[in-house]
CSV table of all heavy atoms in Angstrom, one decimal:
chain,number,residue,atom,x,y,z
A,8,MET,N,-8.6,107.9,67.2
A,8,MET,CA,-8.9,108.0,65.8
A,8,MET,C,-10.4,108.3,65.6
A,8,MET,O,-11.2,107.6,66.2
A,8,MET,CB,-8.6,106.7,65.1
A,8,MET,CG,-8.6,106.8,63.6
A,8,MET,SD,-8.1,105.2,62.9
A,8,MET,CE,-9.7,104.7,62.0
A,9,ASN,N,-10.7,109.3,64.8
A,9,ASN,CA,-12.1,109.6,64.6
A,9,ASN,C,-12.6,108.9,63.3
A,9,ASN,O,-12.1,109.2,62.2
A,9,ASN,CB,-12.2,111.2,64.5
A,9,ASN,CG,-13.6,111.6,64.3
A,9,ASN,OD1,-14.6,110.8,64.4
A,9,ASN,ND2,-13.9,112.9,64.2
A,10,SER,N,-13.5,108.0,63.5
A,10,SER,CA,-14.0,107.2,62.4
A,10,SER,C,-15.2,107.8,61.8
A,10,SER,O,-15.8,107.3,60.8
A,10,SER,CB,-14.2,105.8,62.8
A,10,SER,OG,-15.3,105.7,63.7
A,11,GLU,N,-15.7,109.0,62.3
A,11,GLU,CA,-16.9,109.6,61.7
A,11,GLU,C,-16.5,110.7,60.7
A,11,GLU,O,-15.6,111.5,61.0
A,11,GLU,CB,-17.7,110.2,62.9
A,11,GLU,CG,-18.6,109.2,63.6
A,11,GLU,CD,-19.7,109.9,64.4
A,11,GLU,OE1,-19.7,111.1,64.4
A,11,GLU,OE2,-20.5,109.1,64.9
A,12,GLU,N,-17.2,110.7,59.6
A,12,GLU,CA,-17.0,111.8,58.7
A,12,GLU,C,-18.4,112.3,58.2
A,12,GLU,O,-19.4,111.5,58.2
A,12,GLU,CB,-16.3,111.2,57.4
A,12,GLU,CG,-14.8,111.4,57.5
A,12,GLU,CD,-14.1,110.9,56.3
A,12,GLU,OE1,-14.4,111.4,55.2
A,12,GLU,OE2,-13.2,110.0,56.4
A,13,ASN,N,-18.4,113.5,57.9
A,13,ASN,CA,-19.7,114.1,57.5
A,13,ASN,C,-19.9,113.9,56.0
A,13,ASN,O,-19.0,114.1,55.2
A,13,ASN,CB,-19.8,115.6,57.9
A,13,ASN,CG,-19.9,115.8,59.4
A,13,ASN,OD1,-20.3,114.8,60.0
A,13,ASN,ND2,-19.6,116.9,59.8
A,14,GLU,N,-21.1,113.6,55.6
A,14,GLU,CA,-21.5,113.5,54.2
A,14,GLU,C,-22.7,114.3,54.0
A,14,GLU,O,-23.5,114.5,54.8
A,14,GLU,CB,-21.8,112.0,53.9
A,14,GLU,CG,-20.7,111.0,54.1
A,14,GLU,CD,-19.7,111.1,53.0
A,14,GLU,OE1,-20.0,111.6,51.9
A,14,GLU,OE2,-18.5,110.7,53.2
A,15,PHE,N,-22.9,114.7,52.7
A,15,PHE,CA,-24.1,115.5,52.3
A,15,PHE,C,-25.0,114.6,51.5
A,15,PHE,O,-24.6,113.9,50.6
A,15,PHE,CB,-23.7,116.7,51.5
A,15,PHE,CG,-23.1,117.8,52.4
A,15,PHE,CD1,-21.7,117.9,52.5
A,15,PHE,CD2,-23.9,118.7,53.0
A,15,PHE,CE1,-21.2,118.9,53.3
A,15,PHE,CE2,-23.4,119.7,53.8
A,15,PHE,CZ,-22.0,119.8,54.0
A,16,VAL,N,-26.3,114.6,51.9
A,16,VAL,CA,-27.3,113.9,51.1
A,16,VAL,C,-28.5,114.8,50.9
A,16,VAL,O,-28.7,115.8,51.6
A,16,VAL,CB,-27.7,112.6,51.9
A,16,VAL,CG1,-26.6,111.6,52.0
A,16,VAL,CG2,-28.3,112.9,53.3
A,17,SER,N,-29.3,114.4,50.0
A,17,SER,CA,-30.5,115.1,49.7
A,17,SER,C,-31.7,114.5,50.4
A,17,SER,O,-31.9,113.3,50.4
A,17,SER,CB,-30.8,115.2,48.2
A,17,SER,OG,-29.9,116.0,47.6
A,18,CYS,N,-32.5,115.3,51.1
A,18,CYS,CA,-33.7,114.9,51.7
A,18,CYS,C,-34.7,114.4,50.7
A,18,CYS,O,-34.9,115.1,49.7
A,18,CYS,CB,-34.3,116.0,52.5
A,18,CYS,SG,-36.0,115.7,53.2
A,19,PRO,N,-35.3,113.2,50.8
A,19,PRO,CA,-36.3,112.7,49.8
A,19,PRO,C,-37.6,113.5,49.8
A,19,PRO,O,-38.4,113.3,49.0
A,19,PRO,CB,-36.5,111.2,50.2
A,19,PRO,CG,-36.1,111.2,51.7
A,19,PRO,CD,-35.1,112.2,51.9
A,20,TYR,N,-37.8,114.3,50.9
A,20,TYR,CA,-39.1,115.0,50.9
A,20,TYR,C,-38.9,116.4,50.4
A,20,TYR,O,-39.7,116.9,49.5
A,20,TYR,CB,-39.6,115.1,52.4
A,20,TYR,CG,-39.8,113.8,53.1
A,20,TYR,CD1,-38.8,113.3,53.9
A,20,TYR,CD2,-41.0,113.1,53.0
A,20,TYR,CE1,-39.0,112.1,54.6
A,20,TYR,CE2,-41.2,111.9,53.6
A,20,TYR,CZ,-40.2,111.4,54.4
A,20,TYR,OH,-40.3,110.2,55.1
A,21,CYS,N,-38.0,117.2,50.9
A,21,CYS,CA,-37.8,118.6,50.5
A,21,CYS,C,-36.6,118.9,49.6
A,21,CYS,O,-36.4,120.0,49.1
A,21,CYS,CB,-37.8,119.5,51.7
A,21,CYS,SG,-36.3,119.2,52.7
A,22,TRP,N,-35.8,117.9,49.4
A,22,TRP,CA,-34.6,117.9,48.5
A,22,TRP,C,-33.6,118.9,48.9
A,22,TRP,O,-32.7,119.3,48.2
A,22,TRP,CB,-35.1,118.2,47.0
A,22,TRP,CG,-36.0,117.2,46.5
A,22,TRP,CD1,-37.3,117.2,46.3
A,22,TRP,CD2,-35.6,115.8,46.1
A,22,TRP,NE1,-37.8,116.0,45.9
A,22,TRP,CE2,-36.7,115.1,45.8
A,22,TRP,CE3,-34.4,115.1,46.1
A,22,TRP,CZ2,-36.7,113.8,45.3
A,22,TRP,CZ3,-34.3,113.8,45.7
A,22,TRP,CH2,-35.5,113.2,45.3
A,23,GLU,N,-33.6,119.3,50.2
A,23,GLU,CA,-32.6,120.1,50.7
A,23,GLU,C,-31.4,119.3,51.0
A,23,GLU,O,-31.5,118.1,51.3
A,23,GLU,CB,-33.0,120.8,52.0
A,23,GLU,CG,-34.0,121.9,51.9
A,23,GLU,CD,-33.4,123.2,51.2
A,23,GLU,OE1,-32.2,123.4,51.4
A,23,GLU,OE2,-34.1,123.9,50.5
A,24,GLN,N,-30.2,119.8,50.9
A,24,GLN,CA,-29.0,119.1,51.2
A,24,GLN,C,-28.8,119.2,52.7
A,24,GLN,O,-28.8,120.2,53.3
A,24,GLN,CB,-27.8,119.8,50.6
A,24,GLN,CG,-27.7,119.6,49.1
A,24,GLN,CD,-26.6,118.5,48.7
A,24,GLN,OE1,-25.5,118.7,49.0
A,24,GLN,NE2,-27.1,117.5,48.1
A,25,ILE,N,-28.7,118.0,53.3
A,25,ILE,CA,-28.4,117.9,54.8
A,25,ILE,C,-27.2,117.2,55.0
A,25,ILE,O,-26.7,116.3,54.2
A,25,ILE,CB,-29.6,117.3,55.5
A,25,ILE,CG1,-29.9,115.9,55.0
A,25,ILE,CG2,-30.9,118.2,55.4
A,25,ILE,CD1,-30.9,115.1,55.8
A,26,GLU,N,-26.5,117.5,56.2
A,26,GLU,CA,-25.2,116.9,56.5
A,26,GLU,C,-25.5,115.9,57.6
A,26,GLU,O,-26.2,116.1,58.6
A,26,GLU,CB,-24.3,118.0,57.0
A,26,GLU,CG,-22.9,117.7,57.1
A,26,GLU,CD,-22.0,118.8,57.5
A,26,GLU,OE1,-22.6,119.9,57.9
A,26,GLU,OE2,-20.8,118.7,57.5
A,27,ILE,N,-24.9,114.7,57.4
A,27,ILE,CA,-25.0,113.6,58.4
A,27,ILE,C,-23.6,113.1,58.7
A,27,ILE,O,-22.7,113.1,57.9
A,27,ILE,CB,-25.9,112.5,57.9
A,27,ILE,CG1,-25.4,111.8,56.7
A,27,ILE,CG2,-27.4,113.0,57.8
A,27,ILE,CD1,-26.0,110.5,56.4
A,28,ALA,N,-23.5,112.7,60.0
A,28,ALA,CA,-22.2,112.0,60.4
A,28,ALA,C,-22.3,110.5,60.2
A,28,ALA,O,-23.3,109.9,60.6
A,28,ALA,CB,-22.0,112.3,61.9
A,29,VAL,N,-21.3,110.0,59.4
A,29,VAL,CA,-21.3,108.6,59.1
A,29,VAL,C,-20.1,107.9,59.7
A,29,VAL,O,-19.0,108.4,59.6
A,29,VAL,CB,-21.3,108.4,57.6
A,29,VAL,CG1,-21.2,106.9,57.2
A,29,VAL,CG2,-22.5,109.1,56.9
A,30,GLU,N,-20.4,106.8,60.4
A,30,GLU,CA,-19.3,106.0,61.0
A,30,GLU,C,-18.7,105.2,60.0
A,30,GLU,O,-19.4,104.4,59.3
A,30,GLU,CB,-19.9,105.2,62.2
A,30,GLU,CG,-19.8,105.9,63.5
A,30,GLU,CD,-19.9,104.9,64.6
A,30,GLU,OE1,-21.0,104.6,65.0
A,30,GLU,OE2,-18.9,104.4,65.1
A,31,ARG,N,-17.4,105.2,59.8
A,31,ARG,CA,-16.7,104.5,58.8
A,31,ARG,C,-16.4,103.1,59.2
A,31,ARG,O,-15.2,102.7,59.3
A,31,ARG,CB,-15.4,105.2,58.4
A,31,ARG,CG,-15.7,106.6,57.8
A,31,ARG,CD,-16.4,106.4,56.5
A,31,ARG,NE,-16.8,107.7,55.9
A,31,ARG,CZ,-16.6,108.1,54.7
A,31,ARG,NH1,-15.9,107.4,53.9
A,31,ARG,NH2,-17.1,109.3,54.3
A,32,ILE,N,-17.4,102.3,59.4
A,32,ILE,CA,-17.2,100.9,59.8
A,32,ILE,C,-17.7,100.1,58.6
A,32,ILE,O,-18.9,100.2,58.2
A,32,ILE,CB,-18.0,100.5,61.0
A,32,ILE,CG1,-17.5,101.4,62.2
A,32,ILE,CG2,-17.9,99.1,61.3
A,32,ILE,CD1,-18.4,101.3,63.4
A,33,PRO,N,-16.9,99.2,58.0
A,33,PRO,CA,-17.3,98.5,56.8
A,33,PRO,C,-18.5,97.7,57.1
A,33,PRO,O,-18.7,97.0,58.1
A,33,PRO,CB,-16.1,97.5,56.5
A,33,PRO,CG,-14.9,98.3,57.1
A,33,PRO,CD,-15.5,99.0,58.3
A,34,GLY,N,-19.5,97.7,56.1
A,34,GLY,CA,-20.7,97.0,56.3
A,34,GLY,C,-21.9,97.9,56.0
A,34,GLY,O,-21.8,99.0,55.5
A,35,ASN,N,-23.1,97.4,56.3
A,35,ASN,CA,-24.3,98.1,56.0
A,35,ASN,C,-24.9,98.7,57.3
A,35,ASN,O,-24.9,98.0,58.3
A,35,ASN,CB,-25.4,97.2,55.4
A,35,ASN,CG,-24.9,96.7,54.0
A,35,ASN,OD1,-24.4,97.5,53.2
A,35,ASN,ND2,-25.1,95.5,53.7
A,36,GLN,N,-25.3,99.9,57.2
A,36,GLN,CA,-26.0,100.5,58.4
A,36,GLN,C,-27.4,101.0,57.9
A,36,GLN,O,-27.4,101.5,56.8
A,36,GLN,CB,-25.3,101.6,59.0
A,36,GLN,CG,-23.8,101.3,59.4
A,36,GLN,CD,-23.1,102.6,59.7
A,36,GLN,OE1,-23.5,103.5,60.4
A,36,GLN,NE2,-21.9,102.7,59.1
A,37,GLU,N,-28.4,101.0,58.7
A,37,GLU,CA,-29.7,101.5,58.4
A,37,GLU,C,-30.2,102.2,59.6
A,37,GLU,O,-30.2,101.7,60.7
A,37,GLU,CB,-30.6,100.4,57.9
A,37,GLU,CG,-31.3,100.8,56.6
A,37,GLU,CD,-32.2,99.6,56.1
A,37,GLU,OE1,-32.7,98.9,57.0
A,37,GLU,OE2,-32.3,99.5,54.9
A,38,TYR,N,-30.6,103.5,59.5
A,38,TYR,CA,-31.1,104.2,60.6
A,38,TYR,C,-32.0,105.3,60.1
A,38,TYR,O,-31.9,105.7,59.0
A,38,TYR,CB,-30.0,104.7,61.5
A,38,TYR,CG,-29.0,105.6,60.9
A,38,TYR,CD1,-29.2,106.9,60.8
A,38,TYR,CD2,-27.9,105.0,60.3
A,38,TYR,CE1,-28.2,107.7,60.2
A,38,TYR,CE2,-26.9,105.8,59.7
A,38,TYR,CZ,-27.1,107.2,59.6
A,38,TYR,OH,-26.2,108.0,59.0
A,39,THR,N,-32.8,105.8,61.0
A,39,THR,CA,-33.8,106.9,60.7
A,39,THR,C,-33.4,108.1,61.5
A,39,THR,O,-33.0,108.1,62.7
A,39,THR,CB,-35.2,106.5,61.1
A,39,THR,OG1,-35.5,105.2,60.5
A,39,THR,CG2,-36.2,107.5,60.7
A,40,GLU,N,-33.4,109.2,60.8
A,40,GLU,CA,-33.1,110.5,61.4
A,40,GLU,C,-34.0,111.5,60.8
A,40,GLU,O,-34.3,111.5,59.6
A,40,GLU,CB,-31.7,110.9,61.2
A,40,GLU,CG,-31.1,111.7,62.3
A,40,GLU,CD,-29.6,111.9,62.1
A,40,GLU,OE1,-28.8,111.0,62.1
A,40,GLU,OE2,-29.2,113.1,61.8
A,41,ASP,N,-34.5,112.5,61.6
A,41,ASP,CA,-35.4,113.5,61.1
A,41,ASP,C,-34.6,114.5,60.2
A,41,ASP,O,-33.5,114.9,60.6
A,41,ASP,CB,-36.1,114.3,62.2
A,41,ASP,CG,-37.1,113.4,62.9
A,41,ASP,OD1,-37.5,112.3,62.3
A,41,ASP,OD2,-37.6,113.7,64.0
A,42,CYS,N,-35.2,115.0,59.1
A,42,CYS,CA,-34.6,116.0,58.3
A,42,CYS,C,-34.5,117.3,59.2
A,42,CYS,O,-35.4,117.7,59.9
A,42,CYS,CB,-35.5,116.3,57.1
A,42,CYS,SG,-34.9,117.6,56.1
A,43,HIS,N,-33.3,118.0,59.1
A,43,HIS,CA,-33.1,119.2,59.8
A,43,HIS,C,-34.0,120.3,59.3
A,43,HIS,O,-34.3,121.3,60.0
A,43,HIS,CB,-31.7,119.6,59.8
A,43,HIS,CG,-30.7,118.6,60.2
A,43,HIS,ND1,-30.9,117.8,61.3
A,43,HIS,CD2,-29.6,118.2,59.6
A,43,HIS,CE1,-29.9,116.9,61.4
A,43,HIS,NE2,-29.1,117.1,60.4
A,44,VAL,N,-34.4,120.2,58.0
A,44,VAL,CA,-35.2,121.3,57.4
A,44,VAL,C,-36.7,121.1,57.5
A,44,VAL,O,-37.4,122.0,58.0
A,44,VAL,CB,-34.8,121.4,55.9
A,44,VAL,CG1,-35.5,122.5,55.2
A,44,VAL,CG2,-33.2,121.6,55.8
A,45,CYS,N,-37.2,119.9,57.1
A,45,CYS,CA,-38.6,119.7,57.1
A,45,CYS,C,-39.1,118.8,58.3
A,45,CYS,O,-40.3,118.6,58.4
A,45,CYS,CB,-39.1,119.2,55.8
A,45,CYS,SG,-38.5,117.5,55.4
A,46,CYS,N,-38.2,118.3,59.0
A,46,CYS,CA,-38.5,117.5,60.2
A,46,CYS,C,-39.2,116.2,60.0
A,46,CYS,O,-39.8,115.6,60.9
A,46,CYS,CB,-39.2,118.3,61.3
A,46,CYS,SG,-38.3,119.7,61.9
A,47,ARG,N,-39.2,115.7,58.7
A,47,ARG,CA,-39.8,114.4,58.5
A,47,ARG,C,-38.7,113.3,58.6
A,47,ARG,O,-37.6,113.5,58.3
A,47,ARG,CB,-40.5,114.4,57.1
A,47,ARG,CG,-41.8,115.2,57.2
A,47,ARG,CD,-42.5,115.2,55.8
A,47,ARG,NE,-42.0,116.3,55.0
A,47,ARG,CZ,-42.5,116.7,53.9
A,47,ARG,NH1,-43.6,116.1,53.4
A,47,ARG,NH2,-42.0,117.6,53.1
A,48,PRO,N,-39.2,112.1,58.9
A,48,PRO,CA,-38.2,111.0,59.1
A,48,PRO,C,-37.6,110.4,57.8
A,48,PRO,O,-38.4,110.0,57.0
A,48,PRO,CB,-39.0,109.9,59.9
A,48,PRO,CG,-40.4,110.2,59.5
A,48,PRO,CD,-40.6,111.6,59.2
A,49,ILE,N,-36.3,110.4,57.7
A,49,ILE,CA,-35.6,109.9,56.6
A,49,ILE,C,-35.0,108.6,57.0
A,49,ILE,O,-34.3,108.5,58.0
A,49,ILE,CB,-34.5,110.9,56.1
A,49,ILE,CG1,-35.1,112.2,55.8
A,49,ILE,CG2,-33.8,110.3,54.8
A,49,ILE,CD1,-34.0,113.3,55.7
A,50,LEU,N,-35.1,107.6,56.1
A,50,LEU,CA,-34.4,106.3,56.3
A,50,LEU,C,-33.1,106.3,55.5
A,50,LEU,O,-33.2,106.4,54.3
A,50,LEU,CB,-35.3,105.1,55.9
A,50,LEU,CG,-34.8,103.7,56.1
A,50,LEU,CD1,-34.6,103.4,57.5
A,50,LEU,CD2,-35.7,102.7,55.4
A,51,PHE,N,-32.0,106.3,56.3
A,51,PHE,CA,-30.7,106.2,55.6
A,51,PHE,C,-30.2,104.8,55.5
A,51,PHE,O,-30.3,104.0,56.4
A,51,PHE,CB,-29.7,107.0,56.5
A,51,PHE,CG,-30.0,108.5,56.6
A,51,PHE,CD1,-30.7,109.0,57.6
A,51,PHE,CD2,-29.5,109.3,55.6
A,51,PHE,CE1,-31.0,110.3,57.7
A,51,PHE,CE2,-29.7,110.7,55.7
A,51,PHE,CZ,-30.5,111.2,56.7
A,52,HIS,N,-29.8,104.5,54.3
A,52,HIS,CA,-29.1,103.2,54.1
A,52,HIS,C,-27.7,103.5,53.7
A,52,HIS,O,-27.4,104.1,52.6
A,52,HIS,CB,-29.8,102.4,53.0
A,52,HIS,CG,-29.3,101.0,52.8
A,52,HIS,ND1,-29.7,100.0,53.5
A,52,HIS,CD2,-28.3,100.6,52.0
A,52,HIS,CE1,-29.0,98.9,53.2
A,52,HIS,NE2,-28.1,99.3,52.3
A,53,VAL,N,-26.8,103.1,54.6
A,53,VAL,CA,-25.3,103.5,54.4
A,53,VAL,C,-24.6,102.2,54.1
A,53,VAL,O,-24.7,101.2,54.9
A,53,VAL,CB,-24.8,104.2,55.6
A,53,VAL,CG1,-23.3,104.5,55.4
A,53,VAL,CG2,-25.6,105.4,55.9
A,54,ASP,N,-23.8,102.2,53.1
A,54,ASP,CA,-23.0,101.0,52.7
A,54,ASP,C,-21.5,101.4,52.7
A,54,ASP,O,-21.1,102.3,51.8
A,54,ASP,CB,-23.4,100.5,51.3
A,54,ASP,CG,-22.9,99.1,51.0
A,54,ASP,OD1,-22.3,98.5,51.8
A,54,ASP,OD2,-23.2,98.7,49.9
A,55,ILE,N,-20.7,100.9,53.6
A,55,ILE,CA,-19.3,101.3,53.7
A,55,ILE,C,-18.5,100.1,53.1
A,55,ILE,O,-18.6,99.0,53.6
A,55,ILE,CB,-18.9,101.6,55.1
A,55,ILE,CG1,-19.8,102.6,55.8
A,55,ILE,CG2,-17.4,102.1,55.2
A,55,ILE,CD1,-19.7,104.0,55.3
A,56,GLY,N,-17.6,100.4,52.2
A,56,GLY,CA,-16.7,99.4,51.6
A,56,GLY,C,-15.5,99.2,52.5
A,56,GLY,O,-15.2,100.0,53.4
A,57,GLU,N,-14.7,98.1,52.2
A,57,GLU,CA,-13.5,97.8,53.0
A,57,GLU,C,-12.5,99.0,52.9
A,57,GLU,O,-11.7,99.2,53.8
A,57,GLU,CB,-12.8,96.5,52.4
A,57,GLU,CG,-13.6,95.3,52.7
A,57,GLU,CD,-13.8,94.9,54.2
A,57,GLU,OE1,-12.8,95.3,55.0
A,57,GLU,OE2,-14.8,94.4,54.6
A,58,ALA,N,-12.4,99.7,51.8
A,58,ALA,CA,-11.5,100.8,51.6
A,58,ALA,C,-12.0,102.1,52.2
A,58,ALA,O,-11.4,103.1,52.1
A,58,ALA,CB,-11.2,100.9,50.1
A,59,GLY,N,-13.2,102.0,52.8
A,59,GLY,CA,-13.7,103.2,53.4
A,59,GLY,C,-14.6,104.0,52.5
A,59,GLY,O,-15.0,105.1,52.8
A,60,ASP,N,-14.8,103.5,51.3
A,60,ASP,CA,-15.7,104.2,50.3
A,60,ASP,C,-17.1,104.1,50.8
A,60,ASP,O,-17.5,103.1,51.4
A,60,ASP,CB,-15.5,103.6,48.9
A,60,ASP,CG,-15.6,102.1,48.9
A,60,ASP,OD1,-14.9,101.5,49.7
A,60,ASP,OD2,-16.4,101.5,48.1
A,61,CYS,N,-17.9,105.1,50.5
A,61,CYS,CA,-19.1,105.3,51.2
A,61,CYS,C,-20.2,105.5,50.2
A,61,CYS,O,-20.1,106.3,49.3
A,61,CYS,CB,-19.0,106.5,52.1
A,61,CYS,SG,-20.4,106.9,53.0
A,62,CYS,N,-21.3,104.8,50.3
A,62,CYS,CA,-22.5,104.9,49.4
A,62,CYS,C,-23.7,105.1,50.3
A,62,CYS,O,-24.0,104.2,51.2
A,62,CYS,CB,-22.6,103.7,48.6
A,62,CYS,SG,-24.0,103.7,47.4
A,63,ILE,N,-24.4,106.2,50.1
A,63,ILE,CA,-25.6,106.5,51.0
A,63,ILE,C,-26.8,106.7,50.1
A,63,ILE,O,-26.8,107.4,49.1
A,63,ILE,CB,-25.4,107.8,51.8
A,63,ILE,CG1,-24.1,107.7,52.6
A,63,ILE,CG2,-26.5,108.1,52.7
A,63,ILE,CD1,-23.7,109.0,53.3
A,64,SER,N,-27.9,106.0,50.5
A,64,SER,CA,-29.1,106.3,49.8
A,64,SER,C,-30.2,106.7,50.9
A,64,SER,O,-30.1,106.2,52.0
A,64,SER,CB,-29.6,105.1,49.0
A,64,SER,OG,-29.8,104.0,49.8
A,65,THR,N,-31.1,107.5,50.5
A,65,THR,CA,-32.1,107.9,51.4
A,65,THR,C,-33.5,107.6,50.8
A,65,THR,O,-33.7,107.7,49.6
A,65,THR,CB,-32.1,109.5,51.6
A,65,THR,OG1,-32.1,110.1,50.4
A,65,THR,CG2,-30.8,109.8,52.3
A,66,THR,N,-34.4,107.1,51.7
A,66,THR,CA,-35.8,106.9,51.3
A,66,THR,C,-36.7,107.4,52.3
A,66,THR,O,-36.3,107.7,53.5
A,66,THR,CB,-36.1,105.4,51.1
A,66,THR,OG1,-35.6,104.7,52.2
A,66,THR,CG2,-35.3,104.8,49.9
A,67,MET,N,-38.0,107.6,51.9
A,67,MET,CA,-39.0,108.0,52.9
A,67,MET,C,-39.3,106.9,53.8
A,67,MET,O,-39.5,105.8,53.4
A,67,MET,CB,-40.3,108.5,52.1
A,67,MET,CG,-40.0,109.6,51.2
A,67,MET,SD,-41.5,110.1,50.3
A,67,MET,CE,-40.9,111.3,49.1
A,68,ASP,N,-39.4,107.2,55.1
A,68,ASP,CA,-39.6,106.2,56.1
A,68,ASP,C,-41.1,106.2,56.4
A,68,ASP,O,-41.6,107.0,57.2
A,68,ASP,CB,-38.8,106.5,57.4
A,68,ASP,CG,-39.0,105.4,58.4
A,68,ASP,OD1,-39.2,104.3,58.0
A,68,ASP,OD2,-38.9,105.7,59.6
A,69,GLU,N,-41.9,105.3,55.7
A,69,GLU,CA,-43.3,105.3,55.9
A,69,GLU,C,-43.8,103.9,56.4
A,69,GLU,O,-43.2,102.9,56.1
A,69,GLU,CB,-44.0,105.6,54.6
A,69,GLU,CG,-43.7,107.1,54.2
A,69,GLU,CD,-44.4,107.4,52.9
A,69,GLU,OE1,-44.1,106.8,51.9
A,69,GLU,OE2,-45.2,108.4,52.9
B,116,ZN,ZN1,-36.4,117.6,54.4
C-alpha cells in the first residue's frame, strides 16, 4: 500500500506552485525542503486527520 500522495502548495518566497509527496500518517509532521524553483528552504507543516484529510501550511524557514 502506498501511503504517499502528492500535494500542491505555494512557495512562500516565489509563490510558485510546487509538488510535494506527503505521507498519509495521522498526526503532525514538520520538515524543511528546498523550493524546486528558487531553492530557498521552506518549512512545511503538515496536519493529517484520522480520515486521511490533509492540511498543509508553508512558512519561511529563518
Ligand atoms: Zn520558491
Side-chain angles (χ1 to χ4, degrees):
M8 190 178 119
N9 185 3
S10 64
E11 280 198 354
E12 268 181 56
N13 288 342
E14 297 285 340
F15 285 94
V16 295
S17 290
C18 171
Y20 302 97
C21 67
W22 298 106
E23 287 290 330
Q24 287 257 301
I25 56 172
E26 194 175 10
I27 59 165
V29 177
E30 270 198 274
R31 296 294 171 129
I32 300 167
N35 295 316
Q36 305 167 48
E37 230 175 32
Y38 55 91
T39 306
E40 208 174 295
D41 290 345
C42 175
H43 307 315
V44 180
C45 65
C46 297
R47 283 181 277 191
I49 305 167
L50 181 65
F51 293 93
H52 184 89
V53 181
D54 195 2
I55 310 287
E57 291 295 330
D60 49 312
C61 181
C62 180
I63 304 173
S64 60
T65 55
T66 51
M67 298 180 190
D68 185 31
E69 292 179 305

